[in-house]
Amino acid sequence: MKVIATYSIKGGVGKTAAAVNLAYLAAREGEPSLLWDLDPQGAATYLLRVRPKVKGGARAIVRRRRSLDSSIKATDFPNFDLVPADLSYRHIDLALDRTKKPTEQLADLLSPLADEYSYVFLDCAPSMSLVSESIFGAADVLLVPTIPTTLSVRTLEQLGDFLGNGGSRGKKVKRAPRVLTFFSLADRRKRLHRDVMATLSARPDVLEAAVPSATEVEQMGKHRAPVAEFAPSSRAARSYADLWCAIRKATE
Amino acid sequence: MTLDRIYLDTFDWRLFRRGDALVEEHPLSGQRVLVLSNRDGRHTELRVPSTGRPRQPTELPAALQRRLGPKLAPRNLLDVGRERVEVWPLRMLDEDDKTVAFIDVERSPSAVRVALRPVRGYEKAADRLVALLDSQADLSGGSDPMVEVIRAGGREPGELLEPPELRLNPDDDGHVALSKVFEHLLVTMELQEEGVRQQLDPELLHDYRVAVRRTRSIEGLARRYLPEEMRRLWEQDWKWLAGVTGLPRDLDVLLLELQLEQPTITAAADVGVHELAARVSARRSLEQAKLRDALTGERYSTLKRGWRAGIADLASSPNGITAGRLARDTIGTASKHLLKAAKKIDDSSPAEDIHTARKRAKRLRYAAEMLGTALPSKDVKSVITHMKRLQDDLGQFQDAEVQLHLVRDLLDDASLGEPSSHALITGDLMMENLHARQQEARGDLVKALREFARS
């Protein structure tokens, strides 16, 4: 089982769209995939038409009063399951903080699912918090969507520093995830985007596949489905397919 | 939507027995898929695009291979039943238009089914739907479609091709007992025969060959009790049959070894492993064709007809000694033969002597397992257990010996083309491994044979 977290300190960079589309593509290839919507806003949950409700909330799961398995809902797509978001995830930091090893909790919760799923995607809220550190402890790959602008590059560097310095507690992360970056909401008509992409593309952690700023991605909210379901031959669908190909290869 | 549904399982029903169904769904137009589901609740576990009909667990798509491979290997995947159905797929939706249950209305040549498939996390919705359908429609609880389809094909799912249990009465006449043993073995062979001809699974040839070997062993051990004509007429034909089944079985074992033990050879030799496996497969096809010809030929049918007539004559001509006495005599003789061979074995014995000891251990085991059913089980149980252990050690040695010769022979076989350097390296590595295994087995078997000689 490979755990891939779509993560960024910034909001609105395409984390949820990437998580939903990539999990869908993995599942479509026949690989059982689970998406855990950790963002209390529940955008991924909404896109997959599931109600944002987890019985007992975040606390019940973190405290093992309910198994993660019991919260899983099948989506409308074969081999693609979801752990929905819940408003109580706003306080998941507090629940984690009351455990002995908070940064190891997510990995621990996911481990019983290892035989069942080939991929677990974690859709994370934009923050740098204890949840983030628990995500770093669970993820094999931290997939960072980056809008090709100067500020986004700075954010990417901040993330690198954060991971390098051992997170907010200054403790070295036991098993640091591999960081992979892709350009999101990329608009090649803009010179700044082109320049930033050209500069960063030499870095080994930057994937060549980029997701454009496209109407189809925005329309996911209207169709409540991954792009390939309602616009299979669109540029956005092809971009996600290329991105999935690159990630699959990188995680092999 | 019209689709062909092909149920897949191993000949020994490994999936059915686990409560699973693996089905290849082949729509008349559209993508083929392999569907793994749990037969109890028809809960779909995996739905994987298929690129072609998998014959072996190693040919399954990656996700299914991870899930099922270790449970199925080294068996082949067989087509155990098929049906063409017309399907009207329906879904039950909630207020968000999310599917909460699947309802498939299906029409097959034999029935119209309404199949309800619950969706994970929405089981209550499925329960409500069942209650609704029960109250409104005149439906009767259906049986498992997999079972229906397999039965329609004339087979019983889960049923193994085994002859009735052999049990001899100690007071039976010795000839009657021998006729029962020979008939049991002949039926065993006949049950596997078609599967061997069609090459459904290597295990069927193994079982077939064991029945042939057992027949020859019992015939050899009990020869003084058998009519001279029965031996004279058929002994050479049994030897011939053992010969034509030998090489295909050895090649099956070598191929399985290459498929299963590949990681022990080293990953770098992958290309060589594939080439060597291709050489084994090519030779195996030839040998299997010869075997198929043999099993459809006149010599084989004459042997079976004549042997069965001999069995009938044997049963109707009592020889005066009881089955119990015959069993003790035969097991005693086999034991003496093994002891003689065992005493010859030491750390430097040639492979032929070890092979002789192995054959004699087998003969003793077969006699104890078959004729020994006329004796109290406590009298033969320890012999069988001892022989199984001994045979494991001897088998390890002898299998390695056979494979060593085969690998060498296959690499030298010019009719298969010049082997590449990769294949030669893999062959060398494999032979090294086999040598090492043989040396290890030699120590164990010398010890085991000494223990036997002492006991």
Side-chain angles (χ1 to χ4, degrees):
Chain A
M1 181 176 81
K2 296 267 184 344
V3 181
I4 300 170
T6 50
Y7 178 82
S8 172
I9 302 165
K10 269 172 75 71
V13 293
K15 290 187 296 292
T16 298
V20 169
N21 283 295
L22 295 174
Y24 166 85
L25 290 167
R28 200 174 67 173
E29 285 179 353
E31 299 291 355
S33 302
L34 176 73
L35 169 58
W36 188 355
D37 186 357
L38 281 161
D39 187 340
Q41 288 182 62
T45 304
Y46 174 82
L47 291 176
L48 295 165
R49 299 176 186 273
V50 177
R51 286 180 201 157
K53 178 80 194 144
V54 171
K55 269 192 190 160
R59 216 157 59 161
I61 290 182
V62 172
R63 291 193 172 181
R64 313 297 195 273
R65 280 199 223 114
R66 288 187 72 85
S67 69
L68 191 60
D69 184 82
S70 68
S71 306
I72 294 175
K73 306 270 183 192
T75 71
D76 283 2
F77 312 105
N79 315 321
F80 183 5
D81 293 345
L82 173 83
V83 178
D86 188 279
L87 211 55
S88 65
Y89 287 176
R90 286 172 300 153
H91 309 303
I92 199 166
D93 264 6
L94 294 174
L96 285 172
D97 202 27
R98 287 182 190 141
T99 60
K100 270 190 179 166
K101 292 175 179 169
T103 56
E104 292 171 25
Q105 291 302 316
L106 283 190
D108 219 41
L109 285 165
L110 289 171
S111 64
L113 303 174
D115 286 342
E116 196 177 345
Y117 294 100
S118 302
Y119 294 98
V120 172
F121 291 84
L122 303 176
D123 185 24
C124 312
S127 69
M128 256 190 203
S129 60
L130 201 47
V131 191
S132 323
E133 286 176 71
S134 196
I135 286 162
F136 301 157
D140 297 294
V141 172
L142 216 55
L143 188 63
V144 187
T146 302
I147 304 173
T149 60
T150 324
L151 276 180
S152 296
V153 174
R154 191 172 158 265
T155 312
L156 192 61
E157 277 160 6
Q158 280 174 333
L159 173 65
D161 292 345
F162 186 74
L163 281 171
N165 295 332
S168 61
R169 304 187 161 205
K171 286 182 188 166
K172 235 201 158 43
V173 181
K174 256 192 186 173
R175 193 182 59 105
R178 178 172 174 196
V179 178
L180 290 176
T181 306
F182 71 94
F183 293 115
S184 180
L185 299 169
D187 187 346
R188 287 184 190 273
R189 288 169 306 181
K190 293 181 182 165
R191 184 168 179 177
L192 177 65
H193 280 209
R194 285 200 307 273
D195 288 349
V196 172
M197 286 167 82
T199 313
L200 285 186
S201 58
R203 285 173 52 159
D205 58 338
V206 176
L207 297 169
E208 201 181 322
V211 175
S213 166
T215 322
E216 291 84 5
V217 181
E218 285 163 12
Q219 282 181 339
M220 282 174 71
K222 181 181 150 205
H223 293 278
R224 298 181 76 177
V227 175
E229 276 288 310
F230 62 88
S233 48
S234 64
R235 201 154 59 95
R238 286 200 308 274
S239 305
Y240 281 120
D242 291 345
L243 181 61
W244 172 237
C245 240
I247 294 166
R248 190 174 5 87
K249 213 176 273 177
T251 54
E252 258 166 14
Chain B
M1 171 172 62
T2 304
L3 57 87
D4 286 325
R5 200 174 270 157
I6 302 162
Y7 288 88
L8 304 173
D9 208 334
T10 59
F11 85 92
D12 51 0
W13 303 100
R14 291 186 181 193
L15 290 168
F16 181 81
R17 282 160 187 258
R18 281 164 42 92
D20 289 337
L22 179 63
V23 188
E24 187 183 52
E25 289 190 349
H26 190 179
L28 291 190
S29 60
Q31 165 84 58
R32 281 181 188 206
V33 285
L34 281 160
V35 184
L36 175 68
S37 54
N38 179 284
R39 285 191 2 259
D40 286 348
R42 310 294 296 161
H43 172 70
T44 302
E45 290 192 29
L46 272 177
R47 199 174 174 83
V48 184
S50 163
T51 45
R53 161 83 170 75
R55 307 275 160 190
Q56 289 175 342
T58 48
E59 292 170 7
L60 286 168
L64 279 170
Q65 218 178 103
R66 278 196 299 275
R67 188 77 62 90
L68 297 175
K71 284 140 196 157
L72 299 182
R75 300 278 75 87
N76 285 349
L77 279 168
L78 310 177
D79 165 352
V80 292
R82 56 171 70 207
E83 63 174 353
R84 173 164 289 187
V85 284
E86 269 185 273
V87 185
W88 289 269
L90 303 171
R91 292 163 179 240
M92 182 179 169
L93 306 175
D94 67 7
E95 303 90 274
D96 289 313
D97 283 347
K98 163 86 180 74
T99 307
V100 292
F102 292 97
I103 312 130
D104 294 333
V105 180
E106 298 181 2
R107 186 167 62 196
S108 74
S110 59
V112 174
R113 292 184 210 118
V114 179
L116 180 83
R117 283 186 288 132
V119 171
R120 185 174 187 173
Y122 297 91
E123 288 79 5
K124 280 185 187 161
D127 291 344
R128 283 200 299 276
L129 187 59
V130 169
L132 182 73
L133 288 172
D134 275 348
S135 66
Q136 307 234 329
D138 185 19
L139 298 172
S140 56
S143 54
D144 184 337
M146 179 180 182
V147 173
E148 273 176 34
V149 170
I150 295 167
R151 281 191 183 142
R155 299 180 67 186
E156 186 58 32
E159 195 176 72
L160 297 176
L161 292 174
E162 281 172 347
E165 194 192 354
L166 174 72
R167 185 129 293 278
L168 302 176
N169 185 335
D171 300 324
D172 270 349
D173 178 78
H175 271 184
V176 172
L178 280 172
S179 71
K180 282 183 184 170
V181 169
F182 288 140
E183 180 63 28
H184 174 89
L185 292 168
L186 194 53
V187 170
T188 308
M189 284 166 54
E190 285 172 338
L191 285 171
Q192 315 300 342
E193 217 171 75
E194 195 46 37
V196 173
R197 276 195 202 113
Q198 291 184 30
Q199 298 165 36
L200 295 182
D201 193 283
E203 194 63 11
L204 300 177
L205 174 58
H206 170 260
D207 291 351
Y208 180 89
R209 189 167 151 72
V210 168
V212 173
R213 270 206 315 245
R214 284 177 183 238
T215 303
R216 292 187 72 211
S217 289
I218 302 290
E219 191 255 4
L221 282 169
R223 56 174 42 223
R224 68 176 184 277
Y225 300 106
L226 290 173
E228 198 269 335
E229 195 189 51
M230 197 172 178
R231 288 189 284 116
R232 185 175 51 81
L233 284 176
W234 308 116
E235 212 165 48
Q236 284 308 309
D237 288 308
W238 280 114
K239 191 175 176 183
W240 159 79
L241 188 57
V244 291
T245 53
L247 195 49
R249 173 63 193 159
D250 291 341
L251 289 161
D252 278 347
V253 174
L254 182 58
L255 200 58
L256 287 174
E257 180 87 11
L258 281 165
Q259 283 163 354
L260 298 174
E261 302 298 325
Q262 201 170 317
T264 65
I265 294 174
T266 76
D270 253 8
V271 183
V273 170
H274 286 299
E275 191 185 326
L276 199 53
R279 289 176 91 87
V280 179
S281 294
R283 173 77 75 79
R284 186 165 157 258
S285 297
L286 282 176
E287 295 302 327
Q288 277 176 335
K290 284 187 206 164
L291 175 60
R292 210 168 35 245
D293 288 348
L295 295 188
T296 45
E298 188 56 31
R299 187 173 185 180
Y300 180 60
S301 57
T302 308
L303 166 65
K304 279 206 308 179
R305 218 174 26 246
W307 187 249
R308 187 156 265 137
I311 291 172
D313 289 345
L314 201 60
S316 59
S317 58
N319 73 342
I321 68 156
T322 63
R325 165 84 191 282
L326 181 128
R328 284 191 197 284
D329 282 1
T330 317
I331 293 170
T333 307
S335 195
K336 266 184 229 158
H337 288 171
L338 174 59
L339 194 60
K340 201 171 158 191
K343 281 180 176 165
K344 278 191 187 172
I345 305 296
D346 57 28
D347 293 333
S348 57
S349 295
E352 300 84 69
D353 287 356
I354 293 172
H355 183 44
T356 304
R358 185 194 186 195
K359 281 198 290 190
R360 294 196 174 166
K362 272 185 182 168
R363 277 166 66 155
L364 175 54
R365 177 177 163 187
Y366 296 159
E369 280 177 345
M370 314 214 72
L371 293 167
T373 59
L375 301 173
S377 68
K378 65 178 172 47
D379 291 3
V380 285
K381 211 174 161 188
S382 70
V383 177
I384 296 171
T385 314
H386 211 112
M387 282 311 103
K388 276 185 184 167
R389 224 174 25 232
L390 188 58
Q391 245 187 292
D392 282 346
D393 294 331
L394 288 162
Q396 284 275 338
F397 181 90
Q398 188 56 28
D399 289 348
E401 177 73 13
V402 169
Q403 285 175 27
L404 271 169
H405 283 289
L406 265 181
V407 173
R408 229 173 262 138
D409 185 42
L410 284 161
L411 290 172
D412 291 345
D413 189 344
S415 72
L416 299 172
E418 196 65 30
S420 71
S421 57
H422 294 293
L424 290 170
I425 291 168
T426 303
D428 283 347
L429 283 167
M430 198 170 175
M431 285 193 276
E432 260 176 47
N433 284 347
L434 288 166
H435 260 304
R437 203 193 300 169
Q438 220 182 9
Q439 290 317 309
E440 201 180 317
R442 181 187 276 274
D444 293 340
L445 74 90
V446 168
K447 203 172 133 200
L449 282 169
R450 277 189 193 139
E451 269 173 28
F452 173 75
R454 271 203 302 275
S455 69

